[in-house]
Amino acid sequence: MELGMIGLGRMGGHMARRLLERGHRVVVYDPAAEAVQALVAQGAVGALSLAELVEKLDKPRAVWLMVPAGEAVESTIRALEDCLSPGDIVVDGGNSNYKDSMRRARALAEKGLFFLDVGTSGGVWGLKEGYCLMVGGELEAFRRLEPVFQTLAPAPDKGYGHVGPAGAGHFVKMVHNGIEYALMEAYAEGFELMQAKREFDLNLAQIAELWRYGSVVRSWLLDLVARSLEENPELGGIQASVEDSGEGRWTVQESVELAVPASVITSSLQARFRSRQEQPFGARLLAALRQQFGGHEIKKAKK
């Protein structure tokens, strides 16, 4: 089967290589010419523009976007609309907001085009282990591209599925990432607590490793904890600042809109906000208040 791939960053490049390794014909485009050439050297068909990519695909076409959410997806789809024909499929495999995906599906349907929103999880390990694919959109389009999903997934019968109508794929991926925030925060807090118990002189790398087998908290994230602590037991050189991709925020916002409590996910998102602050104003105000009402000593900030 053939597929057009737009966006050859880390994830998109890995996915294109996985498809090539398993015998699919892949036509690739990226504004960075060197990224295109690297995949051409591995068997892909290169294109110098979106129009050329479409021209090199046989009808009915399928074009997979792996570009940053927001305006990049919007502008790419607008450019593709004029090149594609009724019956063609546009796939957004990035982390778009599910509401945008619902809108895009409606707009493309008016032109006879299918749209699939594919929540993709796998990170840098996807090339080797396969990707978890959460697909939203028309079932007909899903069935047509199922051989592609089977190739990208960990196994032909595992790790991919049609989860609902347009927007559902990105909605499920949004919640997936919210859960990921909470799990990461739980591991971080637990290991920090053990690290603080100095009298036991705990070997955190050893504990992470033994938890990987038989424990009810074993997971792939725990595997990565063990790997991180084995490589760098004191986590030296790592700044305590954690970014958020936006999906955690969307998850929390959705919980408010639906009036569904998500206190742990919300707390994990707030912890990331706090990690990026130096001498946060709120904490300084707390110190000032204790001094005001109780005469408690305050520590002077370093100049």
Side-chain angles (χ1 to χ4, degrees):
M1 186 171 183
E2 68 171 15
L3 183 76
M5 179 70 72
I6 300 172
L8 305 177
R10 184 176 63 186
M11 185 82 85
H14 285 175
M15 295 174 80
R17 282 193 288 275
R18 187 173 175 89
L19 289 166
L20 288 167
E21 289 172 358
R22 286 157 176 79
H24 293 267
R25 179 176 184 267
V26 184
V27 183
V28 297
Y29 169 72
D30 191 281
E34 60 273 17
V36 174
Q37 291 305 314
L39 279 164
V40 168
Q42 298 178 51
V45 178
L48 298 177
S49 67
L50 295 177
E52 183 180 347
L53 178 140
V54 171
E55 289 176 2
K56 290 184 175 182
L57 292 169
D58 294 330
K59 296 181 180 180
R61 311 174 185 93
V63 181
W64 189 304
L65 280 63
M66 288 301 292
V67 300
E71 179 54 32
V73 174
E74 200 74 30
S75 60
T76 302
I77 290 178
R78 282 199 302 267
L80 282 172
E81 285 177 340
D82 297 330
C83 304
L84 296 175
S85 304
D88 291 346
I89 303 172
V90 176
V91 180
D92 180 6
N95 285 333
S96 292
N97 188 293
Y98 80 93
K99 295 178 181 178
D100 289 334
S101 296
M102 294 173 69
R103 171 179 54 79
R104 289 164 183 154
R106 289 193 297 268
L108 290 173
E110 292 177 357
K111 299 188 175 185
L113 301 171
F114 291 103
F115 179 82
L116 295 177
D117 52 290
V118 181
T120 306
S121 181
V124 298
W125 296 89
L127 177 61
K128 178 182 178 182
E129 305 291 341
Y131 301 89
C132 175
L133 304 169
M134 300 148 264
V135 187
E138 294 286 344
L139 189 58
E140 176 186 343
F142 167 79
R143 293 298 185 204
R144 274 173 48 191
L145 287 190
E146 193 163 11
V148 171
F149 301 137
Q150 291 174 330
T151 298
L152 292 173
D157 60 343
K158 293 182 177 67
Y160 80 95
H162 181 260
V163 298
H170 282 152
F171 180 84
V172 173
K173 177 55 162 49
M174 176 192 75
V175 176
H176 164 284
N177 280 26
I179 293 171
E180 178 185 288
Y181 279 36
L183 291 173
M184 292 172 68
E185 181 64 22
Y187 282 126
E189 291 179 8
F191 277 87
E192 183 172 15
L193 186 61
M194 290 189 288
Q195 192 264 351
K197 193 66 173 177
R198 296 296 187 182
E199 65 187 273
F200 286 161
D201 192 26
L202 299 173
N203 183 330
L204 301 188
Q206 176 207 18
I207 293 167
E209 185 63 27
L210 71 89
W211 279 2
R212 293 179 61 214
Y213 302 96
S215 166
V216 296
V217 299
R218 65 187 183 274
S219 71
W220 184 60
L221 285 174
L222 181 61
D223 294 344
L224 298 181
V225 170
R227 177 183 175 133
S228 298
L229 292 173
E230 178 66 27
E231 294 175 350
N232 188 355
E234 299 298 324
L235 302 181
I238 299 176
Q239 186 177 351
S241 177
V242 187
E243 296 296 326
D244 66 287
S245 65
E247 299 230 34
R249 300 189 192 203
W250 297 341
T251 305
V252 171
Q253 290 165 358
E254 194 69 25
S255 78
V256 173
E257 291 182 15
L258 296 177
V260 174
S263 56
V264 176
I265 293 174
T266 301
S267 177
S268 67
L269 176 65
Q270 298 291 339
R272 293 193 178 198
F273 294 161
R274 180 63 83 183
S275 78
R276 301 199 294 265
Q277 295 180 319
E278 293 184 11
Q279 292 293 322
F281 183 85
R284 287 185 284 131
L285 181 57
L286 286 175
L289 283 172
R290 290 187 77 246
Q291 197 271 339
Q292 288 287 338
F293 70 71
H296 300 286
E297 181 182 359
I298 57 174
K299 296 182 179 180
K300 296 295 183 180
K302 297 179 180 180
K303 295 181 179 180

